[in-house]
Amino acid sequence: MKTKYVHGMVALALLAGLNGCKPKNAGSVVSGDAAAKVYVAPGKYDEYYNFVSGGFSGQLSVYGLPSGRLLRVIPVFSVDPEKGWGYSEETKPMLNTSHGQVPWDDLHHVSMSQTNGEIDGRWVFVNGNNTPRVARVDLKTFRTAEILELPNSGGNHSSPFITENSEYIVAGTRFSVPPDDKSGDVPINTYKENFKGTISFISVDKDKGNMDVAFQLQGPGVNFDLSHAGKGKSAGWFFFSTYNTEQANTLLEVNASKRDKDFIMAVNWKMAEKLIKEGKGRKQAVKYASNRFDEKTHTATSTIKNQVTVLDIRDYPGLVYMIPCPKSPHGCDVDPTGEYIVGSGKLAALIPVFSFDKIQKAIANKSFDGEYEGIPVIKYEAALYGEVKKPGLGPLHTEFDDKGNAYTSMFVSSEVVKWNVKDLKVLDRVPTYYSVGHLMIPGGDSRKPTGKYMVAYNKITKDRYLPTGPELSQSAQLYDISGDKMQLILDYPTIGEPHYAQAVSADVIKANSVKFFRIEENNHPYVAKGESNAKVFREGNKVHVNMTLMRSHLTPDNIEGIRVGDEVYFHTTNLEQDWDVPHGFAIKGALNAELLVMPGETTTLKWIPTKAGMYPMYCTDFCSALHQEMSGYVRVSPA
Ligand code: CUK
Ligand code: CUA
């Protein structure tokens, strides 16, 4: 979420005086042995990979923990000139949508693939909040392998949360919208009649990870906020927080905050899956892009799909239930046992903890408190395990450790509060600098949390770093949680606005990391597998340059016969067969930035010269002592 909105809401909720309050002793509460705890000696590796949302940068960054060292920025939804992402012909289709190429998005949440409720280190899924999309990053290559657009959605925020064997990731729409097969050209004040809330269930192929929209649930025009899958005993269920159950369409900060309680929506996804298998649901015409990177050719293809199966949740009794939750719920987290579901009302001064067993009993006994839009509402007390009293202000998100404790971020009072899941007693609290959004414990939303570190991802930095003009980096803060008291041990800036993040032991990933691609397996249609295969050839006004890159020359390096207006394709193959020897490629005046080509890979830069003249081209990545010599010329003649 964006800070200013929360601030606005909070002000309206008469909490104005507490808005943005600063914890005392900023900067002086660092643990005495902090340096030793975060110091990773030169040449030594970090213990954890931490995958951090880049917010409105549209990218995913990778940090080492506990050092806080930035290891990599993985381009996902946004073009990235450093890697030619979205500029090379091979990657352009990844950013395709039903609206055309959308070269940016707002990335909020990170879900690592799981097996038996434990992070298995195969893929990271992330969401695009703006033009509804989910992406899959392959952790063998640390590259985005797939981007899937979502129909019937607006603002894909409640996403991408995963089931414990990665069967599905879900994506709930933040903005209810008229379904795609209806005209969206309707008066906005017909919201209640025309706008629908939609949740996509996206299937994930067991072996390849390929995603598709398996089915969608459609219902009243509420806004879905975060969600989490059940675990263990609750594994067949999903829990979504909702807000704007008022179904307001204007001045939401007032009109969507009227009700004392909104809902957590409990979805029996096993039942939905069964209904779909039985052929239930309605086929709806839509258009959405499915973009995949082909592992053989290293080229993305974009396919526009045109149908989804929709279950109207009101047509299937038993599929969903509403659980009242105070007030403007945001986070919705499930503890490692799967029994406790933690709600977090942005405007609430307590944390409700619901019991899965009690929810099941309430359903069996019909302990309902009427209906909401045809959906049974379970009585608050019938579902409630208990409340954490006076935890702080503005609870947002909760993670768990391996000792039965929960940690909840408090946006308004700018702190993290540790409490015991069984007795709901607050055990400890630490200030954050400032206004924490998500927090993260490695494995902290899985069945196997760890208990060593917690990271707070903060919206505001203020006085934490040297000033850099009006805009300051957001920041992460690392806490040692191994003892009774949480201790701040490190601050580090982040790329873009961090929302959620996940971390996993480096051992789960590092052994599988690809070092380079085998040139003999390169199936790119324009590969040159050796310098003797390099060539320039013309097809009408298209000119193909099958070029090789090898320390320290381009082949060919003198190109003539190009005319103004030709479409020139530089298909550059990096012939190196060694780890960490990329070459780059750029040419004067090219609109498509540059390329960064991995060993064994072929990547294409398209260039349409507009003026006759001499155009230098060169390798952009310092690759050897003779890197400056890795260059050449293209002569362009009048058309
Ligand atoms: S949201 Cu950002 S602090 Cu998009 Cu997960 Cu709660
Ligand atoms: Cu190749 Cu520099």
Side-chain angles (χ1 to χ4, degrees), residues 151-196:
N152 295 325
S153 294
N156 171 35
H157 189 242
S158 184
S159 163
F161 299 98
I162 198 158
T163 55
E164 65 177 19
N165 281 298
S166 306
E167 297 98 331
Y168 295 101
I169 54 175
V170 298
T173 188
R174 168 183 165 199
F175 301 108
S176 289
V177 286
D180 290 359
D181 62 339
K182 303 263 164 54
S183 170
D185 180 16
V186 293
I188 299 172
N189 67 12
T190 61
Y191 186 101
K192 284 191 181 152
E193 167 195 338
N194 285 322
F195 290 50
K196 297 275 176 262

Side-chain angles (χ1 to χ4, degrees), residues 465-482:
Y465 306 122
L466 283 173
T468 53
E471 168 73 343
L472 305 170
S473 280
Q474 279 90 0
S475 116
Q477 292 189 299
L478 179 68
Y479 295 80
D480 175 354
I481 57 165
S482 57

Side-chain angles (χ1 to χ4, degrees), residues 1 108-109 157 226 330 396-397 437-438 459 499-500:
M1 89 178 43
H108 282 225
H109 302 123
H157 189 242
L226 299 202
H330 183 60
L396 291 187
H397 301 287
H438 277 273
K459 304 301 185 188
H499 293 266
Y500 192 42

Side-chain angles (χ1 to χ4, degrees), residues 256-511:
S257 308
K258 283 186 177 153
R259 293 171 73 111
D260 193 42
K261 292 191 174 74
D262 291 286
F263 300 112
I264 286 176
M265 191 167 102
V267 176
N268 183 343
W269 67 260
K270 283 278 184 195
M271 177 176 169
E273 191 179 53
K274 198 160 149 265
L275 290 168
I276 292 293
K277 275 204 187 108
E278 288 165 0
K280 299 277 172 27
R282 154 175 70 81
K283 308 275 183 229
Q284 192 204 312
V286 288
K287 272 200 167 40
Y288 65 98
S290 163
N291 310 328
R292 274 181 203 157
F293 220 72
D294 182 294
E295 282 184 15
K296 291 216 173 87
T297 57
H298 291 218
T299 301
T301 48
S302 175
T303 314
I304 298 290
K305 305 207 164 181
N306 45 35
Q307 187 177 283
V308 286
T309 307
V310 174
L311 294 170
D312 189 320
I313 55 180
R314 286 171 287 204
D315 291 350
Y316 302 98
L319 187 58
V320 304
Y321 296 91
M322 295 299 206
I323 303 164
C325 182
K327 172 164 194 185
S328 296
H330 183 60
C332 182
D333 298 283
V334 181
D335 90 307
T337 68
E339 164 63 9
Y340 302 105
I341 297 122
V342 181
S344 290
K346 294 178 294 239
L347 304 180
L350 54 82
I351 301 172
V353 180
F354 300 98
S355 149
F356 181 71
D357 288 345
K358 286 187 78 176
I359 292 168
Q360 295 306 302
K361 241 179 250 158
I363 291 170
N365 300 335
K366 298 209 162 41
S367 307
F368 299 145
D369 203 356
E371 289 185 342
Y372 173 78
E373 298 270 358
I375 302 162
V377 175
I378 296 175
K379 283 195 179 124
Y380 180 68
E381 287 74 22
L384 190 73
Y385 172 69
E387 293 169 341
V388 183
K389 307 279 192 209
K390 302 214 170 120
L393 289 169
L396 291 187
H397 301 287
T398 300
E399 292 261 301
F400 303 88
D401 71 11
D402 57 353
K403 299 173 202 80
N405 301 311
Y407 300 72
T408 301
S409 56
M410 299 288 164
F411 179 83
V412 177
S413 52
S414 189
E415 60 189 331
V416 172
V417 171
K418 173 182 174 181
W419 49 278
N420 183 273
V421 177
K422 276 273 150 63
D423 66 21
L424 307 177
K425 292 251 158 43
V426 172
L427 301 172
D428 189 25
R429 57 180 69 236
V430 286
T432 60
Y433 307 99
Y434 303 93
S435 301
V436 57
H438 277 273
L439 46 68
M440 186 280 303
I441 292 170
D445 84 336
S446 74
R447 287 182 76 171
K448 269 265 175 71
T450 57
K452 206 165 165 185
Y453 302 116
M454 180 269 292
V455 185
Y457 298 95
N458 304 320
K459 304 301 185 188
I460 295 167
T461 320
K462 295 283 190 204
D463 50 9
R464 301 299 287 181
Y465 306 122
L466 283 173
T468 53
E471 168 73 343
L472 305 170
S473 280
Q474 279 90 0
S475 116
Q477 292 189 299
L478 179 68
Y479 295 80
D480 175 354
I481 57 165
S482 57
D484 289 341
K485 297 279 165 202
M486 297 176 273
Q487 288 182 314
L488 177 60
I489 52 178
L490 187 69
D491 268 23
Y492 54 96
T494 60
I495 308 275
E497 182 183 356
H499 293 266
Y500 192 42
Q502 287 198 337
V504 69
S505 166
D507 298 333
V508 176
I509 291 178
K510 71 171 190 275

Side-chain angles (χ1 to χ4, degrees), residues 82-133:
E82 186 192 34
K83 291 115 189 159
W85 180 255
Y87 290 105
S88 72
E89 294 305 296
E90 287 76 8
T91 57
K92 275 181 187 170
M94 291 299 281
L95 303 178
N96 201 33
T97 72
S98 60
H99 307 271
Q101 294 257 331
V102 179
W104 168 85
D105 219 303
D106 185 11
L107 189 160
H108 282 225
H109 302 123
V110 172
S111 259
M112 299 188 72
S113 54
Q114 296 190 0
T115 303
N116 299 324
E118 285 183 53
I119 294 173
D120 61 22
R122 300 206 289 168
W123 306 298
V124 183
F125 299 91
V126 295
N127 68 325
N129 195 13
N130 179 50
T131 304
R133 288 177 279 181

Side-chain angles (χ1 to χ4, degrees), residues 58 140 239 307 531 540 580 613:
K140 289 205 289 282
F239 305 93
Q307 187 177 283
E531 286 176 3
D580 195 28

